[in-house]
Amino acid sequence: MFIIDVDKGQIVKEVPTENGYTLMRLSRYICAATSSGSVELLEPTSFKVVKTWKAHAAAINDMDAQNNFLVTCGYSLRQQQSYMLDPLANVFDLKNLIPLPPIPFHAGAAYVRMHPRMSTTGIVASQSGQMQVVDLMNPNTVNLRQAIVSSYMTNLELAPSGEALALADADCSLQLWGSPSKIRFVDLSNPAEFADAKPAQTQIGWTPETPLSSIGMPYYRERLLSAWTSPLVFEVGAPPPKIDPEILASLTLTDFGGFAQNPGKTRRNQVENTRSPEKASTAVTAPKFLSEKARDAGNNTPDERRGSDQVDGTGSDAFSGELKAEVPVMYRNVEIKYSRFGVDDFDFKYYNKTEYSGLETHIVNSYSNPLLQLYRFTPLLRNVALHHAASSCLNEMCLLCEMGFLFNMLELAAGQNCQATNLLKTFSSMPQSAALGLLEEDASHEPLDTMIQIMNRFMLERVSFDHKQMLPQSRKLDRTLATSGITSIRCVKCLSETIRPGGTFVNDMIYPVRPTVKGQPVGTVPSFPQILKASLEQEKQTRGWCDRCRRYQSLTTRKTIQTAPDVLMLNAALNGPETKHYWSLPGWLPDEIGLIVDSGQVFCYEGDDLQLHLQRAIQEITRYELVGVVADIASGEHQASHLVSIINVGLSTRKESTETNWHLFNDFLVKKITKEEAFRFNPSWKMPSVLAYQAKTEGPTIDDSWKDHLDTSLLFHEYSINQCQKTRPYRLLSSDTEAPAAGMHVAIDAEFVALQQEEIEIKADGSRETIRPSRLGLARVSVLRGSGEDEGLPFIDDYITTSEPIVDYLTAFSGIRAGDLSPQHSPHNLVPLKVAYKKLWLLLNLGCIFIGHGLPKDFRTINMHVPRAQVIDTVDLFFIRARQRRLSLRFLAWILLRQEIQTDTHDSIEDARTALALWRKYLEFQDAGVFERVLADVYQKGRECGYKAPNSGPPKSGEMLAPPGGAMGGGGSGTNTPGSITPGGGGGGAGSGTEGPSTPVRAPAVLSTVSGSGSAGATSAWTPGKGNYFGSPLR
């Protein structure tokens, strides 16, 4: 069986099969008919056989699958060794994988089609033309039809709309059945549109003496096809190399030229590149990796100049005097470089010294980063997204929830880099995204400014849809984002008019056509308010269908505005050099405008006119201030353009402030800029794509009340998509006694699977460079109680299902095996990624403190930022910075807890419980005042054994750092630390007759020899900081 990419026309994969397939249909499974009369049901992703059903004795002639039903027609071998059609059409339930009662059809069932709209209705036909419409749930109901065929039927097909039926016979005749008045073949059909009549050509008098200059050329405003873009222009040929001055000095002239000795400065057959030297790279120079900086710090090597200093040095004078064509450093492309330690080794602080976080670029469709930043700093949109995320919404395709999660992560990060992984994953999985051409892999040649404007409209419409899913009666988001109005469509021929009410989330700017003289525009330049008014009250001529004329006519479309939104989103919609010229004029874009909507008309003002209307206060006027702009940056020759956002972050502060605070967001490069720089555009390299204005209000616009209305019911109720009935290794929290609160400790660990292999480029010298790292997906997450009577008992242990293909389960490191994430076969509690993520997000915003080992990388892969105050990482607790080596969880458990973990694979519950025990051990050592000495001895023992736990089991009592019950006085304390020790008095364990404390106390500088009949451990003398054995827990 071949798997074929229909877009590329290539065979992607070959799947071996035991039987040959004659027919295939797709429904819940891939239904494949074999030559022996059986049907094999294949898993759509893995192509494994789930079920085999013997449908007919000899062969299958036709079959169809719709929703949860499969219907087949076939042959059986009868007497006289001949094949005859079975008088039954067999039915199979794809949901429960069981056969259903067959459909009797005495004429011999040859063909079958399921109705596309009525899920249980099918049409069975015989070769003689007899057809029966039957309900699969009630096969005894008969509705017969007879088609007149001269010979016999050869095929039967039903239209996707369900309103037309086509029959073919052996005489090559085709019959079409349906209602002639309202037949449709597809659901979204349109009348055929024919081309306009070609205008008559004007005859031009032409003689051989006619000068070509008299013909003339039409005026044009659009770019000519001959004006190729820079990526399509290449240098051809090369100038000859210059002669070395040494050769010219020693040249011996002859009558045919000159000759001299070759100085031998080049190798044999070496060719000099004589083209002009390449321009400097348009990308910002990447910094050293963090590992390199740590190594240089140990060698006292001076650090290189910081990238932000480079930005300051180049960006400060980039616009001195007139506008320059060279792109300043801070606007250029930024790229992530990968070392052998992955993306965590990249120095993102090199590009960002501010308190505002940037977004990384190595994610698919990350061209949307500037637009997401603009949404985040639009306070009203930010408030709606966070309130919605705090609700009980569990829709996996909810973009509004993902926006709320992303905005919260960016605020908590406070300057650290973030990534929009989950939001873009949800966005990419939507079929509308591909249909609109918004995916990078499907629109490689589409300009980014066009894509971002289409995405802006789609995102806001989808956000409004998601909001109504939770609050169907609420119109809050429409009032916030939608420009409501009435669109009137009038036919120029019959003057019939159609009124359509509706709202627009994004308004495209429409620029007037200025009169020209000899190709140059004349007259005054329209102001921004004038163009905005024309764009809101747009009136245009189009060709469309007139129901009254029953044909295509010229239509006049006019929009009448009723109410203006609180957030006014605009697409710049630049379509020519003249429109770009408007934006390059100094002061053309205002930072504040005013709108008056009165009797269906819109009046727009700026500057002195706006202040005058505010003083008069005759009409109600809405003041808007500019939130930010998404700009398209042409990086330079042979470089693709990219997008940045320029945003006034002062509008999103929680304090009242009248000062503007403009910042440039170039993916993960964030820099504060002046207001003049923010409002300056250049037609050659910097042009706007999306603008956002928000209505001015009194006081701060940031609303954090969503934190007081978090819907935490998900933490106390079971949620599963596979309804697993086996014993589960966790117990849910009790809403009465275990409600999460600020300061509550929880232990966490997560496991991941690989969804995409890393992309590596091998250079000519054999070196490897990582282009894009491997992409991991969350497969399991476990959260345990960190205190109380049930300390260490899990209350979350979720396995996460995914629709993406898994390239590697990473079983040795994750413990995840094939089938663990399948809803049909998994014995574990399966949940969607949205549910697992929201549980952690609720714990984060409730103020819980997470305990674990190596949590930053886990949280990064989960796509969540947890402040340092809410993280206790045992990697950092048991770490000596001067050693530059971090200790593994398995080694720490072996040396400190006398436990052997991760013997076969990893288990997230075991790892989280071990991290919790290590934290408790850390507190005990700190309370005893011996932690520094214990940690030093841990590193000493690790150096001896290579920092790896031996595979022979846990350490012996003479090797461990902290044997249970005390090292010298027996096991009376019940902890992994010793009892009270006094000079000459022995340990406070079983041998001393008194019970020692549960935590160690600060010991004196010298301890005397410990002995006694009750000792269960070492019985020799021990002094802190001395000795070569690990017999004491304080070492």
Side-chain angles (χ1 to χ4, degrees):
M1 182 172 64
F2 298 124
I3 311 301
I4 302 175
D5 188 336
V6 295
D7 293 330
K8 299 180 180 178
Q10 298 177 352
I11 297 177
V12 179
K13 186 178 181 182
E14 297 184 12
V15 180
T17 59
E18 296 182 359
N19 303 302
Y21 297 147
T22 58
L23 286 172
M24 299 186 79
R25 295 289 186 267
L26 177 62
S27 181
R28 180 183 291 263
Y29 300 97
I30 298 176
C31 306
T34 66
S35 56
S36 61
S38 300
V39 177
E40 293 185 352
L41 305 182
L42 309 179
E43 183 69 29
T45 55
S46 62
F47 305 105
K48 295 181 179 179
V49 178
V50 178
K51 181 77 173 181
T52 301
W53 173 46
K54 186 66 174 178
H56 297 275
I60 295 178
N61 186 61
D62 194 12
M63 69 177 183
D64 197 14
Q66 183 80 11
N67 295 327
N68 296 324
F69 299 101
L70 171 68
V71 184
T72 63
C73 302
Y75 293 91
S76 296
L77 186 63
R78 304 300 174 87
Q79 297 179 358
Q80 295 87 30
Q81 302 296 319
S82 62
Y83 292 98
M84 295 184 62
L85 290 168
D86 289 334
L88 297 172
N90 293 326
V91 184
F92 192 80
D93 187 345
L94 296 176
K95 182 176 182 181
N96 299 315
L97 300 179
I98 58 173
L100 297 179
I103 303 171
F105 194 71
H106 300 289
Y111 308 101
V112 61
R113 286 295 178 269
M114 298 294 295
H115 199 281
R117 291 186 177 179
M118 295 177 283
S119 58
T120 62
T121 301
I123 300 177
V124 184
S126 67
Q127 291 183 337
S128 61
Q130 183 176 338
M131 294 181 291
Q132 177 177 332
V133 182
V134 62
D135 187 352
L136 301 183
M137 298 293 98
N138 188 11
N140 295 323
T141 303
V142 179
N143 189 352
L144 293 176
R145 294 290 187 273
Q146 179 66 45
I148 300 175
V149 292
S150 57
S151 53
Y152 60 90
M153 282 179 55
T154 59
N155 207 345
L156 167 72
E157 196 58 61
L158 194 60
S161 63
E163 298 180 2
L165 182 67
L167 311 175
D169 59 20
D171 294 335
C172 300
S173 298
L174 185 67
Q175 299 184 22
L176 182 63
W177 288 50
S179 175
S181 61
K182 58 179 181 179
I183 188 172
R184 295 185 306 168
F185 298 101
V186 294
D187 290 329
L188 303 176
S189 59
N190 292 318
E193 182 176 356
F194 299 96
D196 296 334
K198 186 177 181 180
Q201 298 290 338
T202 303
Q203 297 295 327
I204 300 177
W206 178 266
T207 63
E209 292 75 21
T210 303
L212 295 178
S213 59
S214 65
I215 303 301
M217 289 288 291
Y219 294 115
Y220 58 88
R221 296 178 180 273
E222 64 279 358
R223 180 186 289 266
L224 295 179
L225 294 177
S226 58
W228 288 9
T229 57
S230 58
L232 299 178
V233 180
F234 303 91
E235 295 181 358
V236 179
K242 294 181 179 181
I243 301 177
D244 193 316
E246 294 183 9
I247 297 178
L248 294 176
S250 61
L251 193 66
T252 301
L253 298 177
T254 64
D255 54 352
F256 60 84
F259 64 92
Q261 184 179 1
N262 187 354
K265 292 185 177 181
T266 59
R267 296 182 178 180
R268 187 178 182 181
N269 297 327
Q270 184 177 358
V271 179
E272 179 184 353
N273 182 11
T274 59
R275 289 193 177 95
S276 58
E278 294 290 336
K279 294 184 178 180
S281 175
T282 58
V284 179
T285 305
K288 291 183 178 180
F289 292 113
L290 296 178
S291 56
E292 295 176 338
K293 290 188 176 184
R295 184 171 59 251
D296 293 343
N299 299 331
N300 295 323
T301 303
D303 195 7
E304 85 264 35
R305 186 184 184 191
R306 292 190 61 84
S308 47
D309 297 335
Q310 180 188 7
V311 171
D312 292 337
T314 308
S316 59
D317 60 351
F319 289 102
S320 58
E322 59 181 0
L323 295 175
K324 296 184 179 180
E326 185 177 355
V327 181
V329 172
M330 61 183 174
Y331 287 100
R332 297 180 186 175
N333 276 310
V334 289
E335 301 175 357
I336 300 178
K337 301 295 183 180
Y338 307 96
S339 71
R340 60 191 181 94
F341 300 108
V343 71
D344 295 330
D345 200 24
F346 188 75
D347 186 9
F348 287 99
K349 293 183 180 179
Y350 181 94
Y351 299 91
N352 185 5
K353 293 181 184 178
T354 69
E355 59 180 315
Y356 305 103
S357 298
L359 291 171
E360 298 175 16
T361 59
H362 64 276
I363 309 167
V364 178
N365 300 316
S366 60
Y367 74 91
S368 60
N369 286 347
L371 184 62
L372 298 177
Q373 291 280 18
L374 182 62
Y375 289 164
R376 180 241 163 160
F377 286 103
T378 304
L380 296 181
L381 183 56
R382 174 257 182 206
N383 296 340
V384 172
L386 285 170
H387 277 280
H388 184 83
S391 68
S392 59
C393 177
L394 295 178
N395 181 13
E396 297 180 54
M397 306 298 289
C398 180
L399 276 180
L400 190 54
C401 275
E402 296 298 340
M403 279 190 186
F405 298 150
L406 176 63
F407 298 164
N408 180 235
M409 176 172 59
L410 288 170
E411 292 181 1
L412 293 175
Q416 299 184 42
N417 58 292
C418 298
Q419 48 186 348
T421 307
N422 291 351
L423 187 147
L424 293 180
K425 179 181 178 181
T426 303
F427 167 76
S428 302
S429 62
M430 293 182 171
Q432 301 93 325
S433 302
L436 293 173
L438 298 179
L439 305 182
E440 286 181 329
E441 60 268 23
D442 299 334
S444 57
H445 301 292
E446 190 73 20
L448 283 182
D449 60 336
T450 302
M451 293 177 62
I452 203 67
Q453 293 179 51
I454 299 175
M455 183 181 186
N456 183 32
R457 187 182 304 277
F458 167 71
M459 293 280 280
L460 295 182
E461 290 177 354
R462 183 69 192 190
V463 159
S464 175
F465 173 81
D466 293 337
H467 186 263
K468 291 178 182 178
Q469 292 296 104
M470 288 297 297
L471 302 171
Q473 305 301 325
S474 175
R475 309 294 297 177
K476 178 180 179 181
L477 194 58
D478 287 347
R479 290 193 299 269
T480 301
L481 298 175
T483 304
S484 62
I486 297 176
T487 302
S488 61
I489 305 174
R490 175 176 294 184
C491 178
V492 177
K493 185 71 174 178
C494 65
L495 301 182
S496 62
E497 187 173 11
T498 304
I499 305 297
R500 296 178 181 175
T504 303
F505 292 97
V506 179
N507 296 280
D508 292 332
M509 299 194 69
I510 301 176
Y511 304 90
V513 179
R514 296 169 60 192
T516 59
V517 175
K518 295 183 179 181
Q520 298 296 325
V522 297
T524 59
V525 177
S527 64
F528 181 87
Q530 290 174 338
I531 292 182
L532 180 58
K533 172 181 171 61
S535 304
L536 295 177
E537 298 178 333
Q538 53 181 285
E539 182 175 351
K540 55 185 177 180
Q541 296 280 345
T542 58
R543 293 277 297 175
W545 179 261
C546 178
D547 292 333
R548 186 172 179 180
C549 299
R550 304 297 298 172
R551 60 178 299 179
Y552 281 91
Q553 298 285 10
S554 296
L555 303 178
T556 301
T557 304
R558 179 180 175 82
K559 188 174 181 180
T560 303
I561 302 300
Q562 293 180 320
T563 58
D566 296 329
V567 177
L568 185 62
M569 299 295 298
L570 303 174
N571 282 341
L574 302 177
N575 53 12
E578 185 177 340
T579 58
K580 294 182 178 180
H581 174 69
Y582 295 154
W583 292 92
S584 64
L585 298 175
W588 190 79
L589 175 64
D591 62 340
E592 186 174 343
I593 59 175
L595 287 183
I596 298 177
V597 180
D598 185 21
S599 301
Q601 290 187 334
V602 177
F603 303 93
C604 186
Y605 304 98
E606 67 169 322
D608 296 337
D609 292 339
L610 174 60
Q611 298 302 324
L612 180 60
H613 281 79
L614 291 174
Q615 292 175 4
R616 290 180 178 177
I618 299 176
Q619 293 176 303
E620 183 180 356
I621 184 170
T622 305
R623 298 170 60 190
Y624 291 88
E625 52 188 340
L626 184 64
V627 177
V629 178
V630 175
D632 182 33
I633 305 298
S635 301
E637 291 292 329
H638 307 294
Q639 293 289 331
S641 64
H642 68 284
L643 301 171
V644 302
S645 53
I646 304 167
I647 302 173
N648 180 14
V649 299
L651 302 180
S652 298
T653 58
R654 290 168 173 79
K655 300 178 182 179
E656 295 188 22
S657 176
T658 57
E659 297 181 0
T660 58
N661 190 3
W662 289 91
H663 279 66
L664 168 70
F665 291 84
N666 184 5
D667 291 322
F668 51 83
L669 187 153
V670 184
K671 174 178 169 57
K672 185 175 182 179
I673 59 176
T674 63
K675 181 179 178 181
E676 292 73 19
E677 172 66 24
F679 282 76
R680 188 181 286 117
F681 298 97
N682 190 316
S684 63
W685 62 271
K686 178 186 177 185
M687 279 286 106
S689 297
V690 177
L691 297 89
Y693 281 90
Q694 179 171 292
K696 295 188 70 172
T697 57
E698 298 296 333
T701 55
I702 296 298
D703 180 14
D704 287 331
S705 61
W706 59 272
K707 296 182 180 179
D708 302 325
H709 302 90
L710 289 171
D711 189 318
T712 60
S713 58
L714 185 62
L715 298 173
F716 310 116
H717 295 87
E718 197 71 55
Y719 190 99
S720 177
I721 64 174
N722 59 338
Q723 301 299 325
C724 177
Q725 301 299 327
K726 294 189 176 181
T727 303
R728 292 174 177 171
Y730 64 91
R731 191 186 72 203
L732 294 174
L733 293 174
S734 171
S735 58
D736 298 328
T737 60
E738 297 179 299
M744 173 180 172
H745 291 88
V746 295
I748 183 173
D749 190 67
E751 309 294 351
F752 306 94
V753 293
L755 302 178
Q756 182 180 356
Q757 299 288 5
E758 64 178 357
E759 300 176 14
I760 300 176
E761 180 183 21
I762 301 179
K763 299 183 178 180
D765 59 357
S767 61
R768 296 157 56 95
E769 181 180 0
T770 302
I771 304 301
R772 179 170 289 178
S774 61
R775 184 163 58 90
L776 302 179
L778 181 63
R780 182 187 181 188
V781 60
S782 302
V783 185
L784 286 61
R785 295 166 173 85
S787 59
E789 297 180 356
D790 297 325
E791 178 177 332
L793 179 64
F795 61 92
I796 295 176
D797 185 36
D798 291 338
Y799 286 72
I800 291 81
T801 181
T802 177
S803 58
E804 296 184 77
I806 298 175
V807 300
D808 192 349
Y809 284 94
L810 305 174
T811 304
F813 307 100
S814 66
I816 305 298
R817 291 179 168 82
D820 286 348
L821 308 182
S822 171
Q824 291 81 15
H825 307 95
S826 176
H828 310 290
N829 184 55
L830 272 182
V831 299
L833 176 62
K834 168 76 173 289
V835 173
Y837 185 93
K838 191 162 188 177
K839 290 180 181 180
L840 302 180
W841 186 77
L842 290 172
L843 295 175
L844 167 65
N845 286 279
L846 289 170
C848 294
I849 299 176
F850 296 90
I851 305 168
H853 192 84
L855 289 182
K857 189 171 184 179
D858 287 356
F859 285 136
R860 173 184 173 83
T861 309
I862 295 173
N863 199 208
M864 175 180 291
H865 181 88
V866 182
R868 290 185 178 180
Q870 291 181 244
V871 175
I872 298 176
D873 197 335
T874 52
V875 166
D876 298 328
L877 295 182
F878 296 92
F879 173 60
I880 299 178
R881 186 171 299 275
R883 301 293 181 92
Q884 296 186 7
R885 185 186 185 97
R886 299 184 183 273
L887 304 178
S888 67
L889 182 66
R890 184 181 182 188
F891 174 73
L892 288 174
W894 176 80
I895 202 70
L896 289 174
L897 304 179
R898 201 182 182 184
Q899 294 180 6
E900 184 75 10
I901 64 171
Q902 302 172 358
T903 54
D904 183 20
T905 60
H906 287 235
D907 182 87
S908 56
I909 293 180
E910 179 186 55
D911 292 351
R913 187 175 288 129
T914 303
L916 179 61
L918 286 174
W919 174 60
R920 292 295 183 188
K921 184 61 58 183
Y922 166 81
L923 295 180
E924 293 179 6
F925 289 147
Q926 285 285 9
D927 186 45
V930 295
F931 174 72
E932 290 75 11
R933 284 176 288 174
V934 170
L935 185 57
D937 289 334
V938 167
Y939 272 89
Q940 179 182 348
K941 181 65 176 178
R943 191 164 50 249
E944 296 174 1
C945 62
Y947 296 97
K948 294 183 179 180
N951 296 326
S952 58
K956 301 177 182 179
S957 59
E959 298 177 344
M960 59 183 294
L961 285 178
M968 289 167 273
S973 67
T975 65
N976 291 344
T977 52
S980 177
I981 303 175
T982 57
S992 63
T994 60
E995 183 178 355
S998 60
T999 57
V1001 297
R1002 189 175 299 276
V1006 179
L1007 301 180
S1008 62
T1009 303
V1010 180
S1011 62
S1013 59
S1015 175
T1019 58
S1020 59
W1022 174 74
T1023 302
K1026 298 183 180 180
N1028 296 323
Y1029 61 95
F1030 273 64
S1032 169
L1034 302 182
R1035 289 181 54 82

